[in-house]
Every structure is written in C-alpha cells, then in structure tokens.
Amino acid sequence: MSRVNDWHIMAALALFGIAAPFLLPGLVTQLAFLWLMVVFALTWDMLGGRMGYNSFGNIVFFGIGCYAAAVLQRDAGLPYFEGLALGLAVGAVLAVLAAIVFGAALLGIRGHYFAIGTLGLGIAAGEIASGWRYVGAGSGLALPLYPGDLGSREFFFCYSLFALAALCFLTCRWLYGTRFGLALNAIRDDQDKADAMGLRTTRIKIFAWSVSAFFLGISGGLAANMIGFIDPRDVAFAGATFGVWMVLMAILGGKGTLWGPVLGAFVFHVTQELFWTYLLGWQRVALGLLIVVIVVFFPQGIMGWLAERRERRGTAA
C-alpha cells in the first residue's frame, strides 16, 4: 500500500471515528467495541503476525487493566475521572510488568509450546481472579457510576477507545518502520540466524510483548468502565471470546501487515453484530462457522488474498 494511500485511509478513518457517534447515535456502544477490537487485533499481531509467536495469553494484560482500574477507583477515594486516569495508568504499568515477568519465563520457548503456555496463563489468571475475594471472586466487581449526563457516558468511552486505537495504530506504524520492526521480522523468519547475527532476540520479544501489554492494560480499564461490571471469566479473562477473537481478527485481515488487523477487526465485528441482530438463537453457531471459514479459506487473510489476485493479474497481463 503506497504512502499516499496510507495517509488517505488514515484521514478517512479519523473522520469516521469523529463523526460516526453523531451520525449513528444508536450504535455508539457498538462503535466503542469496534475500536476495542482494533486494539485487540493490532496488539496480538505484533507478536503473532510480525514475530511469529502465536499468543493466547494476551487476554491476561487486558484483565489486569480491568481489575487495576476497578480496584483503584473503588479504594482510592478520588473523583471519578481522576480515579479512572490513575487506574488506567496503574493498569498499564502492571500489565507491562506482567509482560516482562511472563515474557522472561515463556518467550524462551517456541511454536506450539509457547501457544500452549500462554493459553494456560490466561486460564490460570481467570481461576485466580475467580477465587480472590479482594477483587470480588466469582461474584465479579461493579465499577463506579459515570457522573456525566445521561447518554454522555457512551460518547465518552467511544471517543476514549477511538483515541486509544489511533494511538496504538500510529505506534505500531512507527515501530514497524524502525530497526525494531526489521528485528521482529528477522525473528519470525529465522530466529537462530537472528541470534547468530547478534540480535538480542529475547529482549526484543519481551519489549514487543510489553508494548502490546501497555495498550491492552489501558483498554481493559476503559472497557470495564464502559461495561460497568467485571466478571472474571466472561469479561476480564475471557479467553474463549476476546482471547480467540484477537487471533481471528488478525488472521482474517492478514497477519503480519499493518492494515490487516484493522480490516479484520472491522469485518469481524460488523459480521458478529449482524449475527446477533438477525440470527438470534443461532448466532453462536454462525460465529463458529465464520471461524471455520476464516481458518480454512483465508489462511493468508484478506490482504494476502488481494495481494495474490494482484500478482495473478500482473502475470496475466
């Protein structure tokens, strides 16, 4: 994708993100979740697409952000917005620290072993939260009420998640254009050769996971406040939904590309909302079939499929 087209698409998305809540006031919550899905897909792709490390444990960082914001807002005694800001900051820091600790333990293993290890990490986090009374255990944890006018709450979180998604995208775009981005690709292509060339691959992998954790920690705090309630298994550490969707959205759009995760998030979220609207009672069956279609027919994603079509047309010409 050319640089000119890149800027045009970003400008169009920025205009859409600003205007959509006013043009579609009945869909503000769905729009907020759309930007959350974009963050999910972009952060997963940094490891899974760019580096070739398929993680099922990124949901842990989202859950840490959820609980960090909720506990601080509950116990700090601050006004709503000050407590939220502090909760988001602490959630981001704790998520990064968790990525450093877990990364040092898990990023030394590769392939299926790494994927299984991260899957166990997400399950363990959900079980711990379900049994920890300080954070509500299995009963969950309620968030403070938003103090603004009726209807302003949805707009606030929609624009907050839009800003976070934009910042996440721009950060990824910048990082992938540096030597760090080249190092990620080198690890994906041949880690042993990257080690032999002198790259500190373990540090690079931990840093990449920490960047993902930073944005997921903030998104967790915002999403928890938007939903208003944290369930340890269905919201904070929802590996069967959010954790799997991260992977699917990146694959659907085209993992390892800049725009692929964004495109995948849009297509997946819109399709899912249509299923819930028009296939009530069968929506989970339809979603399961969608997952099968993505894995079987779009292993290279929409961006990869389009690139293949362009190559065929060029060869035919």
Side-chain angles (χ1 to χ4, degrees):
M1 189 175 292
S2 70
R3 196 172 183 83
V4 174
N5 288 339
D6 201 35
W7 280 107
H8 287 168
I9 294 172
M10 285 193 290
L13 276 177
L15 183 61
F16 171 78
I18 294 170
F22 293 98
L23 298 175
L24 303 168
L27 299 176
V28 177
T29 300
Q30 287 84 350
L31 288 168
F33 273 102
L34 170 62
W35 302 123
L36 179 64
M37 296 298 117
V38 171
V39 174
F40 280 169
L42 285 170
T43 51
W44 184 88
D45 192 65
M46 184 170 289
L47 259 72
R50 292 281 170 168
M51 205 168 66
Y53 274 68
N54 297 317
S55 169
F56 290 97
N58 282 17
I59 193 66
V60 171
F61 310 129
F62 176 79
I64 288 173
C66 287
Y67 278 111
V71 170
L72 270 166
Q73 288 175 271
R74 181 191 67 185
D75 298 343
L78 295 171
Y80 182 85
F81 291 108
E82 287 83 347
L84 175 61
L86 180 61
L88 296 180
V90 172
V93 171
L94 290 178
V96 170
L97 291 175
I100 293 171
V101 173
F102 296 142
L106 291 173
L107 285 168
I109 57 178
R110 309 182 193 179
H112 302 306
Y113 300 102
F114 175 76
I116 292 170
T118 56
L119 178 62
L121 190 66
I123 294 171
E127 292 299 320
I128 291 171
S130 296
W132 192 2
R133 290 188 177 181
Y134 181 67
V135 295
S139 300
L141 190 61
L143 277 294
L145 293 176
Y146 183 81
D149 297 332
L150 187 65
S152 64
R153 174 177 174 275
E154 288 77 10
F155 277 80
F156 173 79
F157 287 111
C158 182
Y159 281 117
S160 297
L161 285 165
F162 168 64
L164 181 65
L167 179 61
C168 183
F169 175 84
L170 292 174
T171 301
C172 290
R173 185 175 184 272
W174 169 66
L175 285 174
Y176 296 157
T178 65
R179 294 179 64 183
F180 172 74
L182 296 176
L184 293 182
N185 294 337
I187 292 171
R188 179 191 62 199
D189 295 338
D190 193 329
Q191 183 172 333
D192 293 328
K193 190 178 289 185
D195 282 321
M197 292 175 63
L199 289 177
R200 297 181 176 180
T201 55
T202 302
R203 291 187 181 182
I204 293 168
K205 290 184 287 185
I206 291 174
F207 179 75
W209 217 11
S210 299
V211 173
S212 297
F214 174 81
F215 288 105
L216 286 170
I218 296 175
S219 70
L222 289 173
N225 275 270
M226 180 175 65
I227 296 168
F229 182 80
I230 302 174
D231 183 278
R233 293 190 182 93
D234 293 337
V235 176
F237 302 107
T241 52
F242 292 160
V244 173
W245 295 351
M246 294 179 189
V247 184
L248 290 173
M249 289 184 292
I251 292 175
L252 174 60
K255 66 178 185 176
T257 64
L258 179 62
W259 285 103
V262 179
L263 177 60
F266 268 77
V267 173
F268 182 84
H269 184 65
V270 171
T271 304
Q272 182 185 215
E273 289 296 325
L274 290 174
F275 286 165
W276 280 95
T277 302
Y278 297 106
L279 298 176
L280 191 60
W282 291 89
Q283 69 275 6
R284 295 190 184 277
V285 175
L287 190 59
L289 291 174
L290 175 63
I291 291 171
V292 173
V293 169
I294 291 171
V295 174
V296 174
F297 295 102
F298 291 94
Q300 294 182 329
I302 297 172
M303 298 292 287
W305 180 77
L306 291 173
E308 283 185 357
R309 296 275 300 210
R310 274 196 222 101
E311 287 181 8
R312 289 177 184 175
R313 287 178 182 175
T315 304

